[in-house]
Amino acid sequence: MSEDSPSPPTRFGSGWISGVLSVLLSGLGLGAVLCIQNWDLLTMIEAREHYARYLPVLRGVVHVVLVTGFLLGVVSVTLRQWKYLGLAGCCLVFVAALLGGSQVELADRPGKPFYLGLDYFLLSLIGTAAIFVPMERLFGRREQPIFRSGWKTDLSYFFISTLAVQISTLLTMKPAMVFFAWAQFESVQSFVRSLPWVLQFFLIMLSTDIVQYWVHRVFHMVPWLWKFHAVHHSTDAMDWLAGSRLHIVEQVVVRALSFLPVFILGFAEPPMIAYVIFITFHATFIHANVRWDYGPFRWLLATPKFHHWHHAIEREAIDKNFAVHFPLLDLLFGTFYLPDQWPSGYGVHDKVPRGWLRQLFYPFLPAKTSLAEGTPTVQVHE
Ligand SMILES: [Zn+2]
Ligand SMILES: [Zn+2]
């Protein structure tokens, strides 16, 4: 490695892997310490009693994570010419230690009804990364680094949307409760609840996907709504994190409208919980850099390739594949597009700025450039 080399090495033995793991583990450990210290503000109400029950175990895990993060930081600093990763990891552990480390005191305050889901962010990140990072390494569609272009923007979306889990759940459910209580009929709901859970699960998927299909299509068709949705399409690399890039306005509108049939039909709780778990996985999966294609079943349930074509730069793929779950909806409404090959690239021809904050304001600002003048956030991979 010469001194004027443009980018630091990332190969095994260069201290990069230990540095990244150090920052990751130390950050997770510090986050957990903050959660324990400020449990009344930074953890989900529903989860607090579970955390209290397993607190000694949690403290043990946090201790191991922080010590490992620190040791990996030292390894990285020793191996690497560029010390910032290892030093950052060690600094995070130092801050966690100043707060009390794994033995940090629990705040002696009554639990607050409003919270930020820092615990939800940490658990979601660990869970999703643990499933999808190995999946993309083993079954990836194309060679792509974990830290590809735009990953910080997408992680910001992931962080903010999980942190705001309480307010986003409220905004999802409240409009239906306020404006559509008249549409709930006990006879209909008790019939729906009497159906087998598997059938209820399927009906939740179908009803939400029909609504979601049309809301998605309208976001593509109406120019001022498209600016919100263009943010989602602005990612030029597809992976497990890319699906997080959703403008807050779009996220609230799509979720609130998709919740309507669920609210009116009044499904039982177990299939609802199963659906929430399923959509969390499936919405991530269809964006993932994974080549799985379930053969003849690819018509039944959306595959990564099906949704990757929705993000494709090819002209023939524009305004195709709106469904999240059922490709048959696109077949039915004439928007299905699924050739054998994969798209040549992803992105959008609008000049969407980079970064969470600038993308937040982008739909509200007047268009400065036309499609022809703009630098499209399109990237061709092949
Ligand atoms: Zn779209
Ligand atoms: Zn998408």
Side-chain angles (χ1 to χ4, degrees):
M1 190 74 201
S2 62
E3 283 195 13
D4 57 351
S5 177
S7 56
T10 57
R11 65 177 188 279
F12 184 79
S14 69
W16 185 81
I17 295 170
S18 53
V20 168
L21 285 175
S22 169
V23 170
L24 194 67
L25 290 175
S26 307
L28 290 172
L30 175 60
V33 168
L34 288 170
C35 281
I36 296 173
Q37 188 185 40
N38 304 285
W39 64 273
D40 56 326
L41 186 66
L42 297 180
T43 63
M44 295 182 291
I45 289 175
E46 303 81 1
R48 286 175 193 169
E49 66 175 275
H50 301 293
Y51 297 146
R53 194 179 312 149
Y54 297 106
L55 190 59
V57 180
L58 265 175
R59 287 190 189 279
V61 172
V62 172
H63 187 75
V64 172
V65 166
L66 284 172
V67 170
T68 312
F70 184 81
L71 291 177
L72 285 169
V74 173
V75 170
S76 179
V77 167
T78 311
L79 288 174
R80 198 163 174 75
Q81 185 184 347
W82 294 263
K83 312 286 184 193
Y84 57 89
L85 272 175
L87 285 175
C90 292
C91 282
L92 289 169
V93 175
F94 186 63
V95 173
L98 284 179
L99 292 172
S102 61
Q103 297 309 308
V104 63
E105 274 191 41
L106 275 176
D108 186 19
R109 297 185 288 261
K112 293 183 179 63
F114 293 102
Y115 61 83
L116 293 171
L118 183 60
D119 58 337
Y120 184 52
F121 164 71
L122 297 173
L123 293 172
S124 301
L125 187 64
I126 294 167
T128 320
I131 294 171
F132 285 99
V133 171
M135 193 193 283
E136 291 188 346
R137 293 295 99 189
L138 293 171
F139 308 103
R141 204 278 288 182
R142 49 180 295 270
E143 282 283 319
Q144 181 172 277
I146 297 172
F147 300 101
R148 42 73 181 172
S149 74
W151 72 270
K152 287 181 203 154
T153 301
D154 292 342
L155 187 63
S156 305
Y157 278 94
F158 190 95
F159 176 66
I160 290 161
S161 65
T162 47
L163 204 66
V165 59
Q166 187 183 30
I167 182 78
S168 69
T169 306
L170 194 75
L171 290 173
T172 299
M173 299 168 83
K174 205 70 182 169
M177 290 170 176
V178 172
F179 299 111
F180 288 89
W182 58 268
Q184 286 187 315
F185 295 99
E186 184 50 42
S187 53
V188 174
Q189 295 201 341
S190 47
F191 169 72
V192 170
R193 277 196 289 268
S194 72
L195 297 170
W197 284 353
V198 174
L199 184 55
Q200 287 191 52
F201 178 81
F202 171 76
L203 288 175
I204 297 168
M205 278 178 75
L206 184 62
S207 59
T208 53
D209 210 22
I210 291 171
V211 174
Q212 191 283 136
Y213 172 95
W214 284 105
V215 176
H216 189 179
R217 198 163 165 176
V218 168
F219 265 93
H220 273 249
M221 300 303 161
V222 179
W224 65 273
L225 284 176
W226 165 250
K227 290 190 79 178
F228 291 100
H229 189 55
V231 168
H232 179 64
H233 281 267
S234 69
T235 181
D236 56 25
M238 293 290 276
D239 68 359
W240 63 280
L241 207 48
S244 305
R245 190 182 295 200
L246 281 171
H247 193 281
I248 182 81
V249 170
E250 184 193 348
Q251 194 171 34
V252 167
V253 170
V254 172
R255 284 190 187 178
L257 291 173
S258 306
F259 180 66
L260 275 180
V262 171
F263 176 76
I264 291 168
L265 294 171
F267 295 97
E269 202 174 304
M272 274 305 300
I273 293 171
Y275 174 71
V276 171
I277 295 169
F278 174 75
I279 186 152
T280 306
F281 171 82
H282 191 231
T284 307
F285 178 65
I286 58 175
H287 290 93
N289 175 27
V290 171
R291 60 176 182 267
W292 286 347
D293 183 12
Y294 351 112
F297 299 108
R298 67 183 180 277
W299 302 89
L300 297 179
L301 188 65
T303 57
K305 190 197 268 184
F306 173 81
H307 193 67
H308 279 222
W309 271 109
H310 180 68
H311 282 261
I313 52 167
E314 277 83 349
R315 228 159 247 295
E316 56 272 29
I318 292 174
D319 296 337
K320 296 289 193 293
N321 298 2
F322 292 109
V324 167
H325 299 313
F326 297 118
L328 287 173
L329 289 179
D330 281 285
L331 261 179
L332 185 66
F333 298 126
T335 50
F336 182 83
Y337 187 75
L338 191 59
D340 283 339
Q341 74 274 23
W342 286 77
S344 62
Y346 308 105
V348 72
H349 291 276
D350 301 51
K351 197 180 180 184
V352 180
R354 295 181 189 274
W356 184 88
L357 196 61
R358 278 185 284 182
Q359 291 182 355
L360 178 68
F361 292 109
Y362 166 70
F364 303 104
L365 300 174
K368 285 184 198 151
T369 52
S370 72
L371 191 151
E373 290 167 330
T375 308
T377 59
V378 160
Q379 188 165 321
V380 178
H381 296 297
E382 289 167 353

